[in-house]
Amino acid sequence: MVCDVCKSNPATVFLTQIVEGKMQKVNLCETCSNEKGVSDPTGFALADLLLGIGAAEELEKGAVVQRCPACGFSQTDFKKTGRLGCSVCYDTFAEGLSSLIKAMHKGTTHVGKIPARLMRTLELSARSKQLQRDLEQAVSDENYEQAAQLRDQLRELESQT
Amino acid sequence: MKISNLFTSSGEWARNDGPHHQIVISSRVRLARNLRGRPFPGWAKKVDRLAILEEIKPEVQGLSELGDCYSEYLQDLSALEKQVLVERHLISREHAAKGVGSAVIVNKRQTLSIMINEEDHLRMQVIRSGLQLKNAFRLVDRVDSGLEARVDYAFHPELGYLTACPTNVGTGMRASAMIHLPALVLSEQINPVIQAVNKIGLAVRGLYGEGTEAMGNLFQISNQTTLGEKEEEIITRLNKVIEQIIGHEQNAREMLLQKKPGMVLDHIGRGYGILCHAYSMSSKEALNLLSFLKLGVDLGHFPEECQRAIDELFILTQPAHLQRASQQKLAPEERDALRAEIIRDKLKEFPKPDSSKAAPQEEPPKEDNHDE
């Protein structure tokens, strides 16, 4: 049996690894096994050996690496640093973060200070949504006088924002 | 103003004249804030960091709360100057490691410091002497309100202020107090106290925050969580716990004086003896011995005026302060010799400890309403 890597020397090291239920076998000669660091089984993956370094990680994650559309940050980066890339990451990785945040904090919803400017925006957007609903209702009720009033109120609100 | 001017005078908090100053050295409250839609400093490229810095810095300097202030780019500070700022708790150890793209702004009284591009775009901190968490929060909150009108913060309707690390999300607030607990350490009650404090979601750390050793019987207590609770609630909860710890420390002092007066006298006397006569002293040893001298003042074995000298020594004997005073970089052995010299010099005027003048203990703590 010859070595799978150099294809010339006789294989003396036989490796079997089971990844996600699939068995992989590699046969190596002594020189190649030393080169690939096979003597240290912890830092070693067959997929890396056969497909190049980093392959195992890519395979493990599948084809999709989720990246933040705003800053290009990925979940792997988060695992490495424990910090996020930008404020949009909180939405991008919301699913994975929610359990983490739940475990870290007293609650899951902010109840403290809100920037004054945003408070106004948040209020205005809530009011505008309400007016929109009332307007639709008035139109469907054929109450055009009220609908006209609501439309004017909405316009005024929009001019404020 | 250049920050080198700051080094000649010590910060207001170091005067140690705030409420409960015998046990609580200082109170700090910091807020973490970020700009909307911009990469956090750790992930941002250098050009982004520089752009963010130039955007924030003029807005910060324009704040009326700052008044006259020192402002400096991190790359313009020497390693020694950065370390002095760390020893004064004006910047974090993490910030001291930063260079191009980061800055620090400190007000003249050294009570307010703002770090730009630390882990977050903005870290604003107020530090006050004694137990003044509410006052500290009030000031940092004003600064934050002033700034939010000028820059666009990253804020999430559900998660609150967004921060680089999810542990700070929500209020972005970390409130902490530095407390001196020699009697709890001597009576071996400190570990149960730390465990109890940890259990209720507060963190206990050493002198310089996360991962640092508790030296000189000094401990930092801070809130661990930032989401799901109002700022005022966090402060009130922390304040209550600290007042309880003050009570425990006072009880422990009384118990020690009743049951083991010899041990207390021995620690104070030895501390005094070694500090007065040593020719080489590490900063750890200095802190530990100064802690007993401070206890001696609290217990009335030294006149109260001595407090000031001890407080100064706590700061002046730190490695960077020492080297700055001698205007050169010193090897550890040289530092230890200089430290011993400075201490001997300062303690020349110091009377010998006299337990017959022992004063009664401080009143038990009341609500923190000693406002401005």
Side-chain angles (χ1 to χ4, degrees), chain A residues 40-76:
Chain A
D40 172 22
T42 51
F44 170 78
L46 283 179
D48 278 347
L49 195 65
L50 296 171
L51 300 169
I53 296 299
E57 217 172 302
E58 290 300 316
L59 285 178
E60 183 191 297
K61 279 182 294 185
V64 240
V65 181
Q66 200 186 2
R67 284 192 181 278
C68 174
C71 73
F73 194 82
S74 77
Q75 244 162 332
T76 326

Side-chain angles (χ1 to χ4, degrees), chain B residues 290-305:
Chain B
L290 284 168
S291 160
F292 291 120
L293 239 52
K294 184 169 162 54
L295 177 66
V297 176
D298 291 351
L299 297 178
H301 297 195
F302 298 104
E304 220 181 314
E305 309 86 80

Side-chain angles (χ1 to χ4, degrees), chain A residues 67-68 70-74 77-78 80-91 94 97-98 100-119 122, chain B residues 33 35-40 43 119 141 144-145 148-171 224-231 237:
Chain A
R67 284 192 181 278
C68 174
C71 73
F73 194 82
S74 77
D77 295 315
F78 182 66
K80 247 183 265 166
T81 61
R83 308 286 183 274
L84 290 159
C86 74
S87 47
V88 182
C89 288
Y90 277 94
D91 291 320
L97 278 173
S98 72
L100 196 69
I101 286 174
K102 207 171 163 184
M104 267 172 192
H105 293 286
K106 273 214 147 173
T108 52
T109 313
H110 178 61
V111 290
K113 186 176 183 178
I114 297 173
R117 216 176 357 161
L118 265 173
M119 189 118 90
L122 291 176
Chain B
R33 298 289 186 257
L35 301 192
R36 195 158 63 94
R38 309 292 282 276
F40 296 140
W43 183 247
E119 182 181 294
D141 185 47
D144 176 55
S145 297
E148 74 176 26
R150 296 159 173 254
V151 297
D152 211 1
Y153 282 156
F155 186 88
H156 191 282
E158 212 172 294
L159 294 174
Y161 294 96
L162 299 177
T163 51
C165 184
T167 50
N168 295 317
V169 85
T171 59
Q224 190 92 273
T225 62
T226 52
L227 183 64
E229 234 180 332
K230 282 190 179 151
E231 289 86 351
R237 199 157 61 89

Side-chain angles (χ1 to χ4, degrees), chain B residues 196-208:
Chain B
V197 171
N198 282 336
K199 246 185 207 153
I200 50 173
L202 298 175
V204 184
R205 302 196 167 107
L207 188 52
Y208 291 106

Side-chain angles (χ1 to χ4, degrees), chain B residues 16 19 59 146 165 196 200 253 260 301 309 316 327 353 369:
Chain B
N16 203 3
E59 302 299 344
C165 184
I200 50 173
R253 288 181 185 189
K260 296 177 179 171
H301 297 195
L316 292 177
Q327 297 192 325
N369 283 328

